[in-house]
């Protein structure tokens, strides 16, 4: 069944900012009315956030993209069951977290993140080199080093750090997504900052860390749309 919604709300969904004024609720109604292409609005709206959160669980970009694709398909298949008990992005985030944790269990990767070890020391040494702010911002090696140091945080601290400090999620939403008390979220974030403070807090650029834009974003959108 073709959607009868306003043309100006669905014709430009491939443009990056075309649907910024459409609420999630409006998009969901459009999808459930039969316009599955409107699902692209959801994916482009949350790709960056969900990739970063998935990446905090799994230290493999390709595998995280597989998780995102599976999560989007699962969310689409269960869209009618979304009951608005939590915010829609929180619901989506929980699906990605569950898929990521299941993938970690399947691949027995959970213990890979238990400690930073010698590799972290090497990266911290790189970051601590004398560099002015302009050099730090433009240095690709630094960006890679920062991502590596975040990767090497223990899993329980890394996930909270990414959600709170990189994605700027609220304590309440982070708590709901991870099923932790707000107090535990604060404790874990503080511990993550303690580990990173000397070499990370003042130099990382949140908009560059674990970026998920351009062709990778397009590939996820295309793959999911072809399967739903």
């Amino acid at each position: 069944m073709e959607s009868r919604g306003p043309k100006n709300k669905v014709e430009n969904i491939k443009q990056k900012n075309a649907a910024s004024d459409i609420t999630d609720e409006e998009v969901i109604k459009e999808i459930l009315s039969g316009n599955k292409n409107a699902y692209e609005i959801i994916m482009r709206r949350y790709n960056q956030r969900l990739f970063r959160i998935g990446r905090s669980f799994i230290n493999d970009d390709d595998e995280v993209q597989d998780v995102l694709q599976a999560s989007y398909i699962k969310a689409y298949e269960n869209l009618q069951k979304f009951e608005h008990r939590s915010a829609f992005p929180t619901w989506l985030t929980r699906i990605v977290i569950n898929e990521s944790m299941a993938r970690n269990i399947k691949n027995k990767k959970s213990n890979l993140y238990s400690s930073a070890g010698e590799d972290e020391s090497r990266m911290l040494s790189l970051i601590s080199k004398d560099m002015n702010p302009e050099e730090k911002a433009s240095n690709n090696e630094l960006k890679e080093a920062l991502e590596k140091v975040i990767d090497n945080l223990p899993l329980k601290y890394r996930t909270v750090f990414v959600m709170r400090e990189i994605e700027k999620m609220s304590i309440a939403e982070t708590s709901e997504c991870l099923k932790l008390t707000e107090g535990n979220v604060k404790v874990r974030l503080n511990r993550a900052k303690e580990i990173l403070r000397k070499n990370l807090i003042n130099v990382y650029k949140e908009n560059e860390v674990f970026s998920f834009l351009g062709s990778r974003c397009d590939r996820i959108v295309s793959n999911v749309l072809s399967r739903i």
Side-chain angles (χ1 to χ4, degrees):
M1 172 179 176
E2 292 293 326
S3 168
R4 296 182 181 179
K7 290 184 179 180
N8 67 332
K9 286 189 176 182
V10 296
E11 286 179 349
N12 297 320
I13 57 177
K14 291 185 179 181
Q15 297 180 12
K16 189 173 182 181
N17 297 316
S20 60
D21 60 334
I22 305 175
T23 67
D24 288 343
E25 288 72 21
E26 289 174 313
V27 178
I28 291 170
K29 287 180 182 179
E30 185 70 26
I31 296 167
L32 294 178
S33 74
N35 180 18
K36 73 175 184 180
N37 288 329
Y39 198 49
E40 182 170 348
I41 297 174
I42 294 296
M43 289 186 283
R44 293 193 182 278
R45 184 170 290 174
Y46 294 110
N47 260 342
Q48 179 75 85
R49 164 179 169 153
L50 297 180
F51 176 80
R52 283 173 166 169
I53 291 172
R55 187 62 172 69
S56 74
F57 282 88
I58 300 172
N59 185 16
D60 185 306
D61 284 9
D62 290 337
E63 197 163 356
V64 175
Q65 291 181 61
D66 289 343
V67 166
L68 251 63
Q69 184 169 310
S71 298
Y72 277 131
I73 291 171
K74 180 171 288 187
Y76 178 85
E77 292 173 344
N78 290 277
L79 203 55
Q80 288 183 319
K81 299 178 182 179
F82 175 59
E83 299 177 344
H84 302 275
R85 294 180 180 176
S86 58
F88 181 69
T90 302
W91 183 74
L92 271 180
T93 300
R94 280 299 315 165
I95 292 175
V96 171
I97 289 173
N98 289 338
E99 287 290 317
S100 300
M101 292 175 67
R103 186 68 62 98
N104 267 340
I105 293 172
K106 179 180 179 181
N107 295 338
K108 299 180 180 180
K109 289 187 174 181
S110 297
N111 292 330
L112 292 181
Y113 308 112
S114 59
S115 64
E118 295 180 357
D119 196 44
E120 180 183 5
S121 297
R122 182 175 64 84
M123 290 298 175
L124 290 175
S125 176
L126 173 62
I127 292 174
S128 63
K129 290 181 179 179
D130 291 333
M131 301 172 67
N132 63 45
E134 290 75 22
E135 289 172 328
K136 291 176 182 178
S138 63
N139 192 304
N140 287 332
E141 289 186 7
L142 177 66
K143 175 177 174 288
E144 292 175 2
L146 295 177
E147 292 183 350
K148 185 67 175 180
V149 171
I150 295 172
D151 274 343
N152 282 327
L153 281 171
L155 178 60
K156 64 181 181 179
Y157 302 135
R158 185 173 64 252
T159 52
V160 170
F161 182 84
V162 168
M163 294 169 83
R164 290 283 293 120
E165 291 297 310
I166 297 178
E167 275 306 298
K168 304 299 182 184
M169 292 169 61
S170 68
I171 293 175
E173 188 177 12
T174 303
S175 171
E176 183 175 357
C177 287
L178 294 176
K179 296 184 178 180
L180 297 170
T181 66
E182 292 189 8
N184 280 338
V185 169
K186 293 177 182 178
V187 168
R188 292 187 182 189
L189 178 60
N190 287 337
R191 178 55 181 151
K193 287 182 176 181
E194 287 175 9
I195 296 172
L196 298 173
R197 180 169 287 114
K198 288 191 301 182
N199 300 292
L200 179 63
I201 294 302
N202 293 323
V203 295
Y204 86 90
K205 292 184 67 178
E206 65 184 50
N207 289 331
E208 291 184 0
V209 174
F210 302 139
S211 60
F212 191 70
L213 303 171
S215 62
R216 296 201 298 179
C217 178
D218 291 339
R219 185 164 57 251
I220 286 290
V221 169
S222 176
N223 288 345
V224 172
L225 288 178
S226 70
R227 294 180 59 180
I228 61 176

